[in-house]
């Protein structure tokens, strides 16, 4: 394939986001619980089909992997 035939990174990201959105909608329609991460509170929730949210866990590490490695060295 020629370089001109490739799709852009933006198009790949857009397609991936749409695929995730469609899958979440499908799971909600089927009544399958969905796991959601809240970036602000850094908590992982299990969201049921009736709208209830159950806390599953919290984020433990707050820095990037490279920052953790540099602290050890």
């Amino acid at each position: 394939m020629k370089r001109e035939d490739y799709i852009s990174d933006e198009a790949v990201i857009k397609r991936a986001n749409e695929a995730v959105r469609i899958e979440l909608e499908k799971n909600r329609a089927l009544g399958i619980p969905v796991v959601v991460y809240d970036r602000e509170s850094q908590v992982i929730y299990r969201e049921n089909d009736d709208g209830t949210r159950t806390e599953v866990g919290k984020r433990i590490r707050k820095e990037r992997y490279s920052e953790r490695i540099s602290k050890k060295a």
Side-chain angles (χ1 to χ4, degrees), residues 1-3 5 8 11 13 15 19 21-25 29 35-36 38 44 50 52 55 58 60 62 69-71:
M1 288 179 75
K2 296 180 184 176
R3 176 95 172 129
D5 296 336
S8 67
I13 292 169
R15 289 180 182 187
R21 186 187 60 77
I22 290 169
E23 190 66 25
L24 289 174
E25 284 181 12
V35 176
V36 180
D38 184 6
I44 303 166
D50 61 353
T52 58
E55 185 176 321
K58 292 185 179 183
I60 297 172
K62 297 197 178 189
I69 295 300
S70 65
K71 287 181 183 178

Side-chain angles (χ1 to χ4, degrees), residues 9-19:
D9 289 343
E10 292 84 19
V12 171
I13 292 169
K14 185 177 179 181
R15 289 180 182 187
N17 287 338
E18 285 298 310

Side-chain angles (χ1 to χ4, degrees), residues 32-44:
I32 300 172
V34 178
V35 176
V36 180
Y37 177 69
D38 184 6
R39 288 180 182 232
E40 291 180 12
S41 63
Q42 297 185 348
V43 177
I44 303 166

Side-chain angles (χ1 to χ4, degrees), residues 51-67:
T52 58
R53 295 175 96 182
T54 308
E55 185 176 321
V56 177
K58 292 185 179 183
R59 184 174 176 186
I60 297 172
R61 297 183 179 131
K62 297 197 178 189
E63 65 264 348
R64 296 185 176 121
Y65 179 74
S66 60
E67 293 170 351

